[in-house]
Amino acid sequence: MCHYRFFVLFTVLALKSVECMFVYYQNYEFFSTIKLNDYNGYYGNVKILKYSMPNDVLSAIWRLQLVSSESCPSTDVYFYLEHSAYPVISPHNRTFPYYFNGGRLTKTMIKKSIGGSNQNKQDVYLNISSPSAGNWFSAAFTDSQDRKIKPEILKSNCTYFLTSSLNIWQINDTVVLYPNTTTQSREHSDFKIYKFMSTTTGPYLSFNIKLKQSNSSVCTVKSLLKQSAFPDMKNFKNNDDHVICQSNSSKQCSLSTDYPLANSWYYLGITSECNYSVEVALSNNCVESPFFISNKTLSTIMESTFPGLLKQKKDEFCRKLFQPIETFRFIGPTYFSVKYYFNSNHNRSNALLIRNEKKPYFIEFLVDQANNGGTLNFYLVNNLINDPNLYESDFLVNKASLFPSEKNPKNSTHSSKSKTSNLAEIKVMLYACLLFNSMSKYKNCPDGFLLSTQSFTNIFSNFQLNVAYPFMGKWYLAVWKECFNINTNESVTCPTDFVPHALIQISSDQCANDYCGEYGTCYIINSQLNLVSACKCSGGYEGYGCTDGRNAIPARIYLASVLFLTTSNLVFLLPICLAIYRKWYIESLIYFYNMFFSTFYHACDQEFYSFCIFNYDGLQLADFISSYSSFIITVLAMSSFERQWKVFTFFVGLLACISIGLYDRFSYSTFVVFLCIAISFTIFTWIKICISKRKLYPERRQLIRYYLPGFILALTGLLIYSFLQTKSNYWILHSIWHMCMASSIVFFLPKEETQHFGTDLSGENLKGIFIIFLFLKSK
């Protein structure tokens, strides 16, 4: 850990800061040890942790301690990290549903192998420079490629653990800037970080830097601007919001951002060879009139009738105009179910008329814990309609004429009307850019999701976008229109009599728009007190919405698996009929019970073509108990006790099987121990008879012709069940297991009742045997 402290400290000192920066290190957060699960294509197996990042952090270091138990195979451990949102992961490169944006995938991650030939205990570090303040979420899991199905007794008891901690380097001498105030740099200042709190949302925010040259030499200043986090001066040229100025240049040295957000910190990093001053310039609080009337007489009448309506200051006219639209939300009864509506629209239609091509609409909405674990859904339908407010448009001169760059507004307006009179020559495009915590650069949309569609009269066009696990905070949907000549594809002025009518729906829901497709089921997962929805896929389908079918199992294979696993139990008809013929009636009932519930359990235990006569858990318990009972009663039937003692010992074994099934039906080790006790009990009776009669029992002929083939069949079934079954061949090998075990009973079941042992025993001998039996069972 020490070498990482020195690394970050060296980075700070490498800035050649003459003025001492107050940087201090602290262990900020620590999480106790958690057990990691195998991913297996299901987000519910992921462990999610939440970290809190304070302001003014220069560097954050996540320390991960990975530990595996002894003699574990090599396994990959993944650790994804995302700011303000749950990580969207796809370690196997699975596709997303059609309307989902794949660019949302989390890119910050660590992959480390542990176990096997690797060390069982490893320390891993993840360093993030200039992290944004707020919540950070991590997703940790293991990814094992061993998909073999094994009984618990043969599985290696491998567990993998993660202990994580967050350590930060924080700067506490950042200079705060204020509007309309000039901040001077101190003497011999080489590197400094400034911050400014934007209190209102406006068209632009600018930082003007004035150099103070003390001698004839030319000095250079480098400045970098970033929102919500320190600027990374090491990757200076890779940032868009940067500038390099020289003292002998006449060009103004400034950095600006469009549409700054309210209640947000903006950080300015400056590296300079001379003294300088910084001034914050905000957009003027100008008022834009919705009307511009060229006729002076009519303008005078309107001004006297509606005072202030046409008020406009040319010197303070905002070049970058926008129309913000606030929303309110309706939270539904289910998890992550939220719908957004415009505050200005009480009928909840969320309809917009896009009249002005110069001003974008910014629809603002909030995502928080109410819907960050679901999917954000956008749906937009639009068409061209006649502007219903034609009277207003008659008084509206082309907005482009209000901008100083336009010349001869009258000619421009006349030209516009002549061009827009024929819609057949104009293509009206409607654009939308979805941005998180930003409204700048909406037209290029480099940090968001850009959508576009053409508007037609009498024809509805639409587009849809879904975002998995959206970021928590303010989102903005910028909507604007542009017009082009159909033949030349040149930009032209949009028509004033036909405008795009857009119907916008914004909502969130569980999983993939509350739908995991035909091959998945949506679940709500609570991972370390973090609620998230995820699709659990079936049929070999994978991906966020269970739409990736590259490893999908064909329907014919599923149909074959159902038929194999159910009809293979019909082999039990052989031991049932044989037991009835040889008057083993209780045994025949147990074999029928086993066949019946094994058949319907496997018919129910299917992802497709399933058929359940009652609940799955009950069928599973009945199948396990009947299978255990079939083993026990067959072994006891081979013993040489009187019938009454066989029945008694069998019911003792049946009650034990029920207890095992209720306690842990997957505890194969407990069942194997109990079966070994029953086998030992039967062998003990054989040995007793051999000693008393001084000859081999059972006879050699019976051992070779019956017990040996039965033993081979049973051993084959056990080997297949224990070592050869995999997820892909389960339906074949498990069916063979059914047939092997049912066929072995035919050879094991005695021809007739043998009572050599019970009739020769006194009560004291029986008492001694049952004492031995209970002693072995307790072991």
Side-chain angles (χ1 to χ4, degrees):
M1 187 65 192
C2 293
H3 61 283
Y4 269 86
R5 297 187 186 183
F6 289 129
F7 170 75
V8 178
L9 185 59
F10 176 78
T11 304
V12 176
L13 296 177
L15 296 172
K16 300 179 182 179
S17 174
V18 178
E19 181 182 25
C20 180
M21 293 175 55
F22 292 96
V23 183
Y24 63 93
Y25 172 86
Q26 62 173 320
N27 296 317
Y28 195 71
E29 280 187 342
F30 178 84
F31 278 89
S32 59
T33 302
I34 59 174
K35 181 183 177 182
L36 298 180
N37 301 323
D38 189 65
Y39 177 59
N40 202 22
Y42 177 43
Y43 202 86
N45 296 328
V46 172
K47 290 298 179 69
I48 300 175
L49 299 175
K50 182 174 73 172
Y51 307 86
S52 299
M53 188 72 64
N55 290 314
D56 301 347
V57 175
L58 182 65
S59 178
I61 303 174
W62 275 264
R63 183 187 181 187
L64 313 176
Q65 294 178 300
L66 306 176
V67 179
S68 68
S69 54
E70 297 293 335
S71 303
C72 285
S74 179
T75 301
D76 294 330
V77 178
Y78 288 81
F79 184 84
Y80 287 83
L81 196 62
E82 187 74 83
H83 174 249
S84 294
Y86 296 136
V88 178
I89 61 176
S90 182
H92 303 151
N93 296 321
R94 298 301 180 247
T95 58
F96 282 75
Y98 180 72
Y99 291 110
F100 278 73
N101 191 286
R104 170 65 181 87
L105 283 175
T106 301
K107 299 178 179 60
T108 304
M109 59 87 68
I110 284 181
K111 177 183 176 181
K112 193 71 175 179
S113 297
I114 190 172
S117 59
N118 305 294
Q119 296 180 0
N120 292 333
K121 185 176 181 180
Q122 300 184 37
D123 285 355
V124 185
Y125 298 90
L126 177 60
N127 183 21
I128 303 293
S129 299
S130 305
S132 299
N135 293 324
W136 286 73
F137 296 91
S138 68
F141 57 90
T142 60
D143 187 28
S144 174
Q145 301 303 320
D146 184 14
R147 304 300 180 200
K148 216 166 196 182
I149 301 176
K150 299 178 183 178
E152 291 294 328
I153 192 173
L154 298 176
K155 284 185 179 180
S156 56
N157 189 20
C158 286
T159 51
Y160 303 90
F161 300 97
L162 167 68
T163 305
S164 62
S165 60
L166 171 61
N167 311 299
I168 62 172
W169 289 88
Q170 197 169 14
I171 299 178
N172 63 352
D173 67 337
T174 306
V175 179
V176 180
L177 300 176
Y178 298 95
N180 303 321
T181 303
T182 301
T183 302
Q184 305 289 340
S185 66
R186 299 180 182 178
E187 294 293 333
H188 309 295
S189 176
D190 187 44
F191 172 76
K192 197 65 181 176
I193 295 180
Y194 302 86
K195 64 180 180 180
F196 173 76
M197 170 61 75
S198 177
T199 56
T200 58
T201 300
Y204 69 90
L205 171 65
S206 178
F207 296 88
N208 300 322
I209 304 171
K210 297 180 181 180
L211 301 179
K212 297 181 179 180
Q213 188 175 1
S214 58
N215 49 43
S216 59
S217 61
V218 178
C219 67
T220 304
V221 61
K222 298 179 181 180
S223 57
L224 182 63
L225 182 62
K226 190 174 181 180
Q227 179 187 350
S228 302
F230 283 152
D232 190 0
M233 302 300 290
K234 293 183 294 183
N235 300 321
F236 181 80
K237 293 185 178 180
N238 296 329
N239 294 273
D240 295 332
D241 297 329
H242 74 278
V243 67
I244 300 176
C245 303
Q246 293 184 341
S247 57
N248 60 351
S249 175
S250 59
K251 185 178 179 181
Q252 184 180 8
C253 186
S254 64
L255 267 176
S256 62
T257 180
D258 296 338
Y259 307 111
L261 301 182
N263 303 318
S264 181
W265 285 105
Y266 287 84
Y267 292 87
L268 178 67
I270 298 179
T271 301
S272 176
E273 300 171 353
C274 57
N275 294 333
Y276 57 88
S277 62
V278 181
E279 183 181 4
V280 180
L282 298 175
S283 57
N284 295 318
N285 189 21
C286 60
V287 178
E288 184 212 359
S289 170
F291 301 103
F292 182 81
I293 302 177
S294 57
N295 188 289
K296 293 184 178 180
T297 305
L298 185 58
S299 176
T300 304
I301 296 174
M302 291 292 294
E303 180 65 28
S304 60
T305 306
F306 303 100
L309 181 63
L310 303 180
K311 181 181 179 182
Q312 199 165 103
K313 301 178 182 179
K314 293 183 179 180
D315 294 338
E316 298 179 357
F317 180 71
C318 301
R319 292 175 178 269
K320 296 180 176 64
L321 305 174
F322 68 100
Q323 302 181 60
I325 299 177
E326 295 182 350
T327 59
F328 70 94
R329 60 181 183 175
F330 173 79
I331 300 178
T334 59
Y335 285 106
F336 313 124
S337 177
V338 177
K339 296 184 183 298
Y340 296 89
Y341 301 99
F342 297 166
N343 270 339
S344 58
N345 200 337
H346 299 289
N347 58 7
R348 298 185 179 180
S349 63
N350 283 9
L352 287 179
L353 288 177
I354 316 297
R355 289 194 178 97
N356 196 331
E357 61 186 295
K358 296 296 182 180
K359 292 181 11 177
Y361 289 88
F362 281 103
I363 303 170
E364 176 186 327
F365 58 96
L366 176 67
V367 172
D368 57 12
Q369 292 182 352
N371 55 341
N372 68 319
T375 298
L376 205 56
N377 311 307
F378 297 88
Y379 190 71
L380 190 150
V381 180
N382 87 99
N383 68 320
L384 280 179
I385 64 172
N386 281 317
D387 193 338
N389 200 344
L390 295 177
Y391 179 78
E392 180 180 341
S393 63
D394 288 340
F395 293 95
L396 181 64
V397 178
N398 181 17
K399 281 289 182 182
S401 64
L402 299 180
F403 288 84
S405 58
E406 294 288 338
K407 297 181 180 180
N408 196 1
K410 292 185 179 180
N411 294 336
S412 175
T413 305
H414 176 74
S415 174
S416 170
K417 289 183 178 180
S418 63
K419 288 182 180 180
T420 59
S421 60
N422 189 4
L423 278 177
E425 299 178 358
I426 295 178
K427 176 173 62 175
V428 181
M429 296 295 297
L430 188 66
Y431 295 94
C433 175
L434 179 63
L435 295 164
F436 169 70
N437 202 30
S438 173
M439 294 195 302
S440 62
K441 303 175 185 177
Y442 67 91
K443 283 201 171 182
N444 296 327
C445 206
D447 302 322
F449 311 103
L450 182 63
L451 306 169
S452 64
T453 182
Q454 186 174 352
S455 300
F456 302 92
T457 56
N458 301 324
I459 298 177
F460 290 92
S461 58
N462 63 81
F463 55 71
Q464 182 178 345
L465 174 67
N466 302 95
V467 180
Y469 305 144
F471 296 98
M472 289 196 299
K474 289 290 185 67
W475 284 78
Y476 297 90
L477 181 66
V479 182
W480 73 99
K481 68 176 180 179
E482 295 182 16
C483 299
F484 303 91
N485 187 288
I486 293 180
N487 300 320
T488 63
N489 205 32
E490 294 179 353
S491 179
V492 297
T493 304
C494 291
T496 57
D497 50 349
F498 283 90
V499 295
H501 175 263
L503 180 65
I504 301 173
Q505 294 181 0
I506 306 174
S507 64
S508 66
D509 222 322
Q510 303 172 10
C511 297
N513 196 12
D514 198 19
Y515 180 68
C516 293
E518 185 180 353
Y519 308 102
T521 306
C522 184
Y523 290 94
I524 304 297
I525 302 109
N526 186 347
S527 179
Q528 311 300 117
L529 301 180
N530 298 292
L531 287 180
V532 63
S533 62
C535 292
K536 190 172 185 179
C537 306
S538 57
Y541 282 83
E542 298 172 288
Y544 181 79
C546 302
T547 54
D548 193 315
R550 69 184 72 181
N551 296 324
I553 301 175
R556 64 179 184 275
I557 300 297
Y558 268 102
L559 183 59
S561 68
V562 175
L563 294 176
F564 267 67
L565 290 169
T566 53
T567 57
S568 61
N569 287 285
L570 296 178
V571 182
F572 273 96
L573 289 174
L574 294 175
I576 291 172
C577 295
L578 183 63
I580 295 174
Y581 176 76
R582 293 179 178 176
K583 300 181 180 180
W584 297 92
Y585 300 117
I586 296 179
E587 285 77 0
S588 65
L589 178 61
I590 296 300
Y591 299 149
F592 176 80
Y593 183 84
N594 190 3
M595 180 189 70
F596 181 85
F597 281 103
S598 179
T599 300
F600 285 100
Y601 165 66
H602 286 291
C604 184
D605 186 31
Q606 299 293 327
E607 295 175 341
F608 308 104
Y609 307 107
S610 63
F611 175 75
C612 302
I613 57 175
F614 55 87
N615 67 81
Y616 174 83
D617 188 71
L619 285 172
Q620 186 185 68
L621 179 61
D623 175 62
F624 276 64
I625 292 176
S626 62
S627 299
Y628 294 163
S629 302
S630 296
F631 279 105
I632 299 299
I633 200 169
T634 302
V635 171
L636 292 177
M638 296 165 61
S639 66
S640 298
F641 277 126
E642 284 186 339
R643 185 61 176 169
Q644 57 181 348
W645 295 109
K646 287 182 180 180
V647 173
F648 174 77
T649 52
F650 165 68
F651 275 103
V652 172
L654 178 62
L655 293 175
C657 291
I658 295 174
S659 301
I660 294 172
L662 292 174
Y663 174 71
D664 184 5
R665 67 196 65 171
F666 299 101
S667 178
Y668 297 103
S669 57
T670 306
F671 169 71
V672 168
V673 170
F674 188 75
L675 180 62
C676 290
I677 293 174
I679 293 173
S680 301
F681 196 78
T682 299
I683 293 176
F684 177 81
T685 63
W686 291 352
I687 295 174
K688 184 69 175 178
I689 293 176
C690 289
I691 294 174
S692 62
K693 292 191 175 185
R694 298 183 180 275
K695 67 176 183 179
L696 182 64
Y697 183 85
E699 297 177 356
R700 185 185 302 273
R701 177 173 171 270
Q702 187 177 2
L703 288 173
I704 295 176
R705 294 184 61 178
Y706 297 103
Y707 288 173
L708 181 60
F711 176 77
I712 293 174
L713 285 171
L715 182 62
T716 302
L718 289 173
L719 291 176
I720 289 174
Y721 184 82
S722 303
F723 300 104
L724 300 181
Q725 281 186 170
T726 62
K727 194 171 184 178
S728 58
N729 63 19
Y730 170 80
W731 61 280
I732 298 177
L733 296 186
H734 198 78
S735 300
I736 296 175
W737 146 266
H738 286 166
M739 293 184 286
C740 287
M741 302 314 294
S743 301
S744 67
I745 296 175
V746 176
F747 292 93
F748 284 138
L749 199 65
K751 289 185 178 181
E752 57 185 7
E753 184 77 38
T754 56
Q755 300 181 0
H756 302 293
F757 193 68
T759 55
D760 297 335
L761 290 177
S762 63
E764 292 297 325
N765 289 335
L766 285 175
K767 181 179 179 181
I769 288 177
F770 278 103
I771 290 174
I772 295 173
F773 169 74
L774 294 175
F775 174 75
L776 292 174
K777 181 181 177 183
S778 64
K779 292 294 184 180

